[in-house]
Amino acid sequence: MSALSTACSLMVLVVLGATGCSKSSPETGPETAPVAVASEWPEDIKWLRTALRKRHPNIHAKVSEKELSARFDSLARDAAKLSELEIGLRLMQIFAKIGDGHTQVRPQLKGTRALPLQLRGFKDGIFVVATAPDARDLLGAKLTRVGETPIAVAIAKLTPYIVHENQPTLRMKVAGFLTSASVLKSAGLIQDTGRVSLTFTVQGKARSMTMDTVAAEALRSVAWVRPSRKLALYEKQGARAYWNDWLPKAKTLYFKYNRCAGREGFAKLVAVG
C-alpha cells in the first residue's frame, strides 16, 4: 500500500487549477495527500509528479519539463538519506519552480523550531508586529540581519522555497519563513535551530541579540503582544474565510476574501440583492 494512504507529519497540499477553489469545505479544507514513510518515498514522489502532469492545466508555464523532471529524479534518489522535513523542504523548492499560487507544499509544524515573533513584510522592510510577552520591546522593530546575513540577501536565499506570482505575495510569505529556524537552516542562514542571532533597528538604533527558538507547535499557545491600535478593516474577522460589511460613509459594500474555503460558502456571500 502506498504511503499516500497513511498518516504522517508531512502534508502535501496540491490545489490544481489557475483560478477558483479546489474541492473543499470549511470542515475539510482543500484536497490534501498525506505522505510518506522512508521506504515509500520514491513511490510517492512518482505518484506526485504523475498527478501534477495529469491534473495541472499548465505545469510547464514557468519551468521546463526537463528541469522539473531532473528535480523530481534528484529528490527520488536522495529520499532514503533525507529526513521527512528535508524532503518537504526540497518539495517546496520544486513547487516554487512551478510558480502557481494554487499548487504548493506545506510541511506541517511537528518537530520544527521557530522564533517567537510575528513579522510582516512592507515595501520598506520586514517589521515585528507581534512578540511573546518578554520581548515586547521589539514591537515595531525592523529586522536588518539574520546572523551575519543582511536581510536583502536572506530574502534572496529564502525566495526559492516560496511559491509566489508577484512581489506583494513574496513579501507576505517571506516574513513567515524568516521565523522558521528549520527553513533558515536549510537556506544556509543559520547553523543552530535552537538559537538564532538577529539584528534589528529599534527606535533608530541597531540592536543585535540571540533569540531562543521554541517548538513550532508552541506558537499556538503564545500570548501574543501586539501594538495597541485600532485594527484596520482588512485585519478584522481573520478567522472567517469570507465576510462583508456595508460602509455607510463611503457608500461601499466591502468584501474580504481571507482564504479559499469552497465555492458554496463564497456563493452565499456574493448572493446580494
Side-chain angles (χ1 to χ4, degrees):
M1 179 179 294
S2 166
L4 290 163
S5 62
T6 66
C8 66
S9 63
L10 179 70
M11 298 293 289
V12 175
L13 173 64
V14 185
V15 184
L16 297 169
T19 60
C21 295
S22 64
K23 291 181 180 179
S24 61
S25 71
E27 291 76 24
T28 63
E31 291 180 273
T32 60
V35 292
V37 292
S39 63
E40 296 170 321
W41 268 111
E43 179 184 352
D44 288 329
I45 292 167
K46 180 180 179 181
W47 176 90
L48 179 58
R49 67 194 294 183
T50 299
L52 282 169
R53 287 170 175 159
K54 180 179 179 181
R55 301 178 61 189
H56 197 287
N58 195 14
I59 193 172
H60 297 301
K62 298 179 181 178
V63 61
S64 69
E65 182 176 1
K66 181 179 180 180
E67 181 178 358
L68 194 60
S69 293
R71 286 176 174 268
F72 272 118
D73 289 341
S74 176
L75 178 56
R77 288 193 301 268
D78 295 343
K81 60 186 179 184
L82 298 175
S83 69
E84 195 168 81
L85 175 62
E86 290 170 330
I87 291 173
L89 292 168
R90 288 274 291 271
L91 284 171
M92 287 169 65
Q93 291 176 299
I94 292 173
F95 277 61
K97 279 289 182 180
I98 294 171
D100 176 4
H102 293 268
T103 305
Q104 54 190 296
V105 175
R106 297 177 186 170
Q108 289 190 343
L109 298 177
K110 185 177 180 181
T112 64
R113 305 289 297 179
L115 292 164
L117 290 173
Q118 289 184 11
L119 304 173
R120 182 171 295 175
F122 299 90
K123 286 184 178 180
D124 55 344
I126 305 291
F127 291 84
V128 178
V129 295
T131 71
D134 60 352
R136 66 179 67 233
D137 56 327
L138 289 176
L139 280 175
K142 182 179 181 179
L143 180 62
T144 57
R145 286 183 178 269
V146 178
E148 297 300 317
T149 306
I151 190 64
V153 178
I155 290 172
K157 289 188 174 184
L158 291 172
T159 297
Y161 295 86
I162 302 172
V163 176
H164 65 285
E165 299 181 48
N166 51 54
Q167 286 302 304
T169 299
L170 177 61
R171 284 198 299 268
M172 176 186 70
K173 290 185 176 182
V174 79
F177 279 57
L178 282 163
T179 65
S180 171
S182 301
V183 177
L184 294 178
K185 183 177 181 180
S186 179
L189 293 167
I190 63 172
Q191 296 298 318
D192 181 4
T193 59
R195 306 188 78 198
V196 180
S197 296
L198 303 167
T199 302
F200 299 92
T201 298
V202 183
Q203 297 181 349
K205 296 182 179 180
R207 177 180 172 186
S208 296
M209 61 184 299
T210 299
M211 182 174 289
D212 292 335
T213 63
V214 299
E217 302 98 306
L219 293 177
R220 300 188 181 108
S221 59
V222 172
W224 294 108
V225 178
R226 305 178 189 278
S228 55
R229 61 177 178 82
K230 184 178 179 181
L231 290 177
L233 183 60
Y234 77 91
E235 295 176 301
K236 297 179 180 180
Q237 302 194 53
R240 298 182 64 182
Y242 324 111
W243 62 275
N244 61 24
D245 194 13
W246 172 249
L247 309 179
K249 290 184 178 180
K251 297 182 179 179
T252 299
L253 183 60
Y254 177 86
F255 287 90
K256 185 65 166 64
Y257 185 116
N258 285 323
R259 63 185 180 278
C260 197
R263 292 185 178 91
E264 183 178 348
F266 187 71
K268 292 180 180 178
L269 176 71
V270 299
V272 178

